[in-house]
Amino acid sequence: MDYDWDFSTVLANWRALASGAVMTILISLGSIVIGSVAGLAVGLCRSSSRPLLRAAAAVYVEVLLCIPILVLLIWLYYCLPIVLGVAPSGPATAITALSLSLSAFFAEAVRGGLLSVPEGQYDAAAAVGLSRTQAYLHIILPQAFRVSLPAILTLYVSTIKLTSLASVIAVYELVHTGRGIVASTFRPLEVFTVLALFYVVILMPLMLLVRRVESLARWRLA
Amino acid sequence: MAILEATQLAKGFDGKQVLVDVSLEVPSGAVTVVIGPSGAGKTTLLRCLSLLDSPDSGRIVFREAEVWPCLSGGNTQQREFRRRVGLVFQHLNLWPHLTVCENVSLPLRLAGSLSREEAADRGIEWLKRVQIEGLGKRYPSEISGGERQRAAIARAMALEPEVLCLDEITSALDPENVSLIRDVINRVVDQGVAVLLVTHHIGFARAVANEIVFLDRGAVSASGSVHDVLDTTANTRVREFIDRIECRI
């Protein structure tokens, strides 16, 4: 196929792309940090012995798993100001929507990890006089985390890619910035090739790092 | 004198009665062996005595103080009691993400309030006593079954319990490792610890026991000295069980 590739127009807009990349990274980091902390808390509640906590966490997770992120994003951006009278900025809305969604999936990964830890591990902790908190911190969570790690990694990768949805509420992250450049240069192939490469550059080291950490652990599960 | 005493313990799961009316005494500086067929409630008895499971009824007295039904919930007193009654599980339940030495030292640090260094030193000391001091930096998955058994005993003993409950700890061991475990038990008993041991291994029971308790369908059907229970018992149920086990061997 004859196509005259010309990346000079993309390079000419590198400042805008860099700024979009920074926004993508900030939204990703914010969502990952908040979503992970919330997801851990919800996942622990989901495995709690208290029925009320368990039920509340189950409702939270199941409702959020049902809502497409795009719908959540648009609802938060356009409906929240009407319902609550507050109008968060685009990036804040994107971080909120992605965090909420990630937390639900993260909670399920945590629950899966906790379920994989044999009952005997709790018993062994109790038998030597460890408190429930000590048992969770030192015995249960490290093992559960090991099991959940691949799923959590996949969620992080997915969250970073989903930041592109923030473009629908006019957040100048990478994709929205790219679209702006396309509109002015009429070079969509070059722009989106660079965007694809950018995502690969961001995500590949993350994937390699976690795989490395995973393979470094010498211990095997009971 | 009995350091741990259970009176009319009963425990059921999902409508099935596992322990019916169990009374027994565990004296200090001696080995009490619980034998009985599978499903007799031996493991449940150990779990109830160490308060890992809550008995439905009955009474447990430790050092002349009632611990059940007095202590309930996950409070500090219950944790303190568990520290004083060590339990080695049938499946050992070593923590796979910690090294052998960490398995022994972590409880010392968290439940025994020792510093990291003190706990590590004490952990190494206990690994020496069970003759696996060279394996401290390995993970449980990297050592043999016999070494894991000894690591589990070291973890339970490092907290210096007054009662040590051992659940089928020789079930998967070769004769050499059984002999090593026997030596460890003898040393523990010499220190005045009361050992309550569950086993299917009649030869091992003969070698270590001071007292034998035969548990059948959740109730004690015979108890006494090794000679009384294993050799001269008139209880047909006990006789049948011993004959079957010894024939299988």
Side-chain angles (χ1 to χ4, degrees):
Chain A
M1 189 177 124
D2 268 355
Y3 181 75
D4 189 15
W5 292 88
D6 179 9
F7 285 94
S8 61
T9 50
V10 180
L11 293 174
N13 288 287
W14 72 270
R15 279 178 200 281
L17 280 172
S19 157
V22 169
M23 182 57 80
T24 290
I25 290 169
L26 288 177
I27 293 172
S28 301
L29 283 177
S31 309
I32 284 171
V33 170
I34 297 169
S36 301
V37 173
L40 179 62
V42 176
L44 289 172
C45 291
R46 195 99 155 88
S47 310
S48 165
S49 53
R50 293 178 187 172
L52 202 65
L53 267 184
R54 231 174 28 238
V59 169
Y60 176 91
V61 168
E62 277 155 30
V63 166
L64 281 170
L65 290 183
C66 291
I67 304 175
I69 300 179
L70 188 59
V71 174
L72 188 61
L73 194 66
I74 293 171
W75 192 90
L76 287 174
Y77 193 66
Y78 293 106
C79 301
L80 208 59
I82 298 165
V83 176
L84 293 182
V86 288
S89 67
T93 306
I95 290 174
T96 308
L98 288 168
S99 302
L100 282 170
S101 177
L102 173 64
S103 68
F105 284 97
F106 195 99
E108 285 300 88
V110 169
R111 190 169 72 97
L114 290 173
L115 284 174
S116 75
V117 179
E119 196 66 36
Q121 296 290 304
Y122 294 83
D123 287 344
V128 292
L130 265 55
S131 68
R132 203 172 163 75
T133 310
Q134 288 172 330
Y136 263 86
L137 283 178
H138 297 274
I139 309 297
I140 308 304
L141 283 177
Q143 294 185 58
F145 181 69
R146 162 87 185 266
V147 172
S148 306
L149 192 60
I152 289 172
L153 163 71
T154 311
L155 290 175
Y156 288 167
V157 169
S158 173
T159 299
I160 294 171
K161 290 194 288 186
L162 286 169
T163 55
S164 58
L165 291 179
S167 60
V168 299
I169 54 168
V171 174
Y172 274 94
E173 48 66 61
L174 208 50
V175 171
H176 194 54
T177 307
R179 277 190 189 154
I181 298 170
V182 169
S184 61
T185 62
F186 303 106
R187 285 281 174 187
L189 296 185
E190 287 84 346
V191 170
F192 281 97
T193 302
V194 169
L195 293 191
L197 283 173
F198 181 83
Y199 280 106
V200 170
V201 168
I202 291 183
L203 294 175
M204 198 55 83
L206 175 70
M207 293 176 80
L208 292 175
L209 175 74
V210 182
R211 300 249 185 271
R212 177 89 181 129
V213 170
E214 218 180 321
S215 67
L216 279 178
R218 271 161 63 202
W219 58 272
R220 287 201 299 270
L221 286 173
Chain B
M1 197 189 109
I3 185 170
L4 186 66
E5 195 180 337
T7 313
Q8 295 183 309
L9 278 191
K11 176 72 185 172
F13 296 100
D14 302 325
K16 185 179 180 272
Q17 206 59 30
V18 180
L19 296 179
V20 182
D21 179 15
V22 176
S23 298
L24 88 163
E25 292 184 353
V26 184
S28 293
V31 181
T32 305
V33 173
V34 181
I35 58 169
S38 294
K42 302 183 295 295
T43 297
T44 304
L45 174 62
L46 291 194
R47 291 180 63 90
C48 285
L49 288 175
S50 54
L51 296 187
L52 276 185
D53 284 337
S54 308
D56 296 335
S57 63
R59 187 165 178 259
I60 300 171
V61 173
F62 178 69
R63 284 202 169 279
E64 297 178 334
E66 188 175 85
V67 292
W68 186 267
C70 226
L71 301 177
S72 57
N75 58 28
T76 317
Q77 276 176 304
Q78 199 174 73
R79 290 203 300 275
E80 177 55 28
F81 171 72
R82 285 185 185 140
R83 278 194 52 205
R84 296 168 77 180
V85 178
L87 173 60
V88 178
F89 298 87
Q90 182 174 5
H91 300 294
L92 306 177
N93 300 339
L94 288 170
W95 299 311
H97 62 298
L98 301 178
T99 63
V100 170
C101 190
E102 287 166 345
N103 262 275
V104 180
S105 63
L106 187 80
L108 292 167
R109 196 156 58 82
L110 300 179
S113 311
L114 294 187
S115 70
R116 193 178 284 269
E117 293 73 26
E118 285 170 333
D121 289 346
R122 180 92 68 88
I124 292 164
E125 190 188 308
W126 268 100
L127 295 183
K128 270 186 196 152
R129 292 198 204 181
V130 296
Q131 299 169 37
I132 51 169
E133 66 272 25
L135 306 175
K137 289 185 180 167
R138 301 225 194 138
Y139 288 91
S141 61
E142 298 174 332
I143 62 177
S144 73
E147 290 160 349
R148 278 202 285 268
Q149 301 274 22
R150 281 179 276 159
I153 293 176
R155 178 174 70 182
M157 279 306 298
L159 286 161
E160 297 176 346
E162 291 162 83
V163 179
L164 180 63
C165 300
L166 304 167
D167 189 5
E168 297 275 12
I169 57 162
T170 56
S171 56
L173 295 185
D174 58 61
E176 192 187 356
N177 272 306
V178 170
S179 166
L180 279 166
I181 296 291
R182 196 178 65 201
D183 292 344
V184 171
I185 291 173
N186 287 337
R187 282 204 298 276
V188 165
V189 171
D190 288 345
Q191 292 169 21
V193 174
V195 173
L196 180 63
L197 181 133
V198 162
T199 187
H200 271 123
H201 198 312
I202 297 294
F204 186 65
R206 283 183 192 281
V208 296
N210 298 102
E211 288 278 321
I212 300 260
V213 174
F214 183 82
L215 201 65
D216 188 30
R217 297 187 195 102
V220 174
S221 53
S223 65
S225 69
V226 177
H227 182 67
D228 289 348
V229 178
L230 297 183
D231 300 324
T232 60
T233 182
N235 186 319
T236 50
R237 184 75 188 107
V238 180
R239 199 66 264 151
E240 277 172 20
F241 173 76
I242 293 165
D243 288 347
R244 238 189 353 256
I245 295 272
E246 289 184 333
C247 278
R248 200 188 298 158
I249 290 165

